[in-house]
Amino acid sequence: MAHALETPRNPAILRNSDLDSAAVRQARVDLAACFRMASRLGMHEGICNHLSAMVPGRDDVFLVNPYGWAFSEITASRLLVCDFHGNVVAGEGTPEATAFHIHARLHMKHPRAAAAFHTHMPNATALAMLEGPPLTWAGQTALKFYGRTAVDEDYNGLALDEAEGDRIAAAMGEADIVFMKNHGVMVVGPTIAEAWDDLYYLERAAEVQRLAMATGRPLKPVPHAVAQRAYEQMRSGDADSARLHLESIKRILARQEPDYLD
């Protein structure tokens, strides 16, 4: 299912850049932690799926996982730094082709997307396979995403060129979460922590909705006014909660999988 990216012959030269700064190292650690915990929670799929984040202080290069490595194998140093033209400017290997074509165009078209997480996690992807709106605003966890989602109805095969990357970026619009019908989900955030937090809770919201739907009984949606209020309550503390959430998974991994820091 995965494809190697054909990289340009001449790697880009980044003048006056510091890819070994403390901020870049922290971004590597944070992103690697997200890969490891996503694997633990069954949110990965073989050597497919990809998480990316813009390099701190730069608007032209991003961190992304290398082709051929499972989420459970990712370490801070194994992440690649890639530019928007497909040049790998730091790290060994290349990104998977769809990872490059989706993430490069998404980061380029949406500067607000400092982090972009694309997975085929089972529960959210299951909802993306159904006709109609994927999420029903019937559970409290789902209300974290009230008014923040978009749906890409036009599955168009694998993203193996810039045109498909641009189409997916356009489908994102101003949303933070895109349900990609017949495909999976994309979550973007202003920080790695916030993208992780949304990815985690999106899958939990999808899981409980799927369980409720399996009973065959009608779902009980939350009225709009209450849903909006609950959304506002959640979002008021989201950034700090997300930061603490990521810190907690790094503590767990430091005890149980410390090699993610390598």
Side-chain angles (χ1 to χ4, degrees), residues 103-162:
H103 290 252
R105 306 307 287 183
L106 191 66
H107 286 303
M108 183 185 298
K109 300 286 185 179
H110 297 288
R112 65 189 175 84
F117 290 5
H118 170 59
T119 73
H120 302 167
M121 53 191 187
N123 294 289
T125 300
L127 297 186
M129 294 166 60
L130 303 175
E131 290 281 0
L135 276 182
T136 299
W137 310 112
Q140 176 170 287
T141 302
L143 299 181
K144 174 178 169 66
F145 308 105
Y146 195 67
R148 299 176 60 208
T149 64
V151 179
D152 176 9
E153 294 280 1
D154 302 315
Y155 176 68
N156 196 35
L158 301 186
L160 295 176
D161 54 42
E162 289 184 354

Side-chain angles (χ1 to χ4, degrees), residues 21-260:
S21 69
V24 175
R25 168 62 183 173
Q26 189 61 61
R28 285 181 172 277
V29 168
D30 289 352
L31 192 57
C34 294
F35 278 105
R36 289 298 185 94
M37 189 55 72
S39 175
R40 283 182 163 223
L41 298 175
M43 298 161 74
H44 62 303
E45 189 169 70
I47 59 169
C48 302
N49 296 183
H50 7 91
L51 315 181
S52 67
M54 294 297 294
V55 171
R58 301 292 299 249
D59 61 4
D60 57 343
V61 288
F62 60 99
L63 291 161
V64 68
N65 45 313
Y67 175 55
W69 297 85
F71 277 23
S72 61
E73 298 180 292
I74 296 299
T75 66
S77 63
R78 187 160 286 153
L79 292 166
L80 305 176
V81 176
C82 187
D83 71 12
F84 293 151
H85 305 290
N87 298 297
V88 175
V89 299
E92 296 183 6
T94 62
E96 196 270 332
T98 62
F100 170 71
H101 289 299
I102 293 174
H103 290 252
R105 306 307 287 183
L106 191 66
H107 286 303
M108 183 185 298
K109 300 286 185 179
H110 297 288
R112 65 189 175 84
F117 290 5
H118 170 59
T119 73
H120 302 167
M121 53 191 187
N123 294 289
T125 300
L127 297 186
M129 294 166 60
L130 303 175
E131 290 281 0
L135 276 182
T136 299
W137 310 112
Q140 176 170 287
T141 302
L143 299 181
K144 174 178 169 66
F145 308 105
Y146 195 67
R148 299 176 60 208
T149 64
V151 179
D152 176 9
E153 294 280 1
D154 302 315
Y155 176 68
N156 196 35
L158 301 186
L160 295 176
D161 54 42
E162 289 184 354
E164 183 61 8
D166 285 341
R167 191 195 66 76
I168 293 171
M172 169 70 67
E174 297 304 312
D176 297 324
I177 295 93
V178 174
F179 282 90
M180 305 161 76
K181 285 296 183 83
N182 312 109
H183 186 174
V185 295
M186 173 66 77
V187 173
V188 302
T191 65
I192 292 171
E194 287 170 89
W196 164 257
D197 198 60
D198 278 349
L199 189 78
Y200 172 85
Y201 284 109
L202 182 66
E203 180 67 349
R204 294 293 289 176
E207 181 181 18
V208 295
Q209 179 176 315
R210 183 182 61 79
L211 289 170
M213 292 168 64
T215 68
R217 297 171 58 184
L219 298 179
K220 178 180 171 58
V222 176
H224 166 71
V226 178
Q228 182 66 31
R229 184 168 71 251
Y231 156 78
E232 292 169 357
Q233 291 171 328
M234 292 183 193
R235 291 293 282 168
S236 67
D238 246 8
D240 193 49
S241 178
R243 179 184 61 80
L244 293 173
H245 187 184
L246 182 57
E247 290 301 317
S248 76
I249 71 169
K250 288 190 290 184
R251 288 194 299 272
I252 292 168
L253 292 170
R255 292 193 300 271
Q256 301 175 1
E257 297 182 42
D259 66 307
Y260 91 96

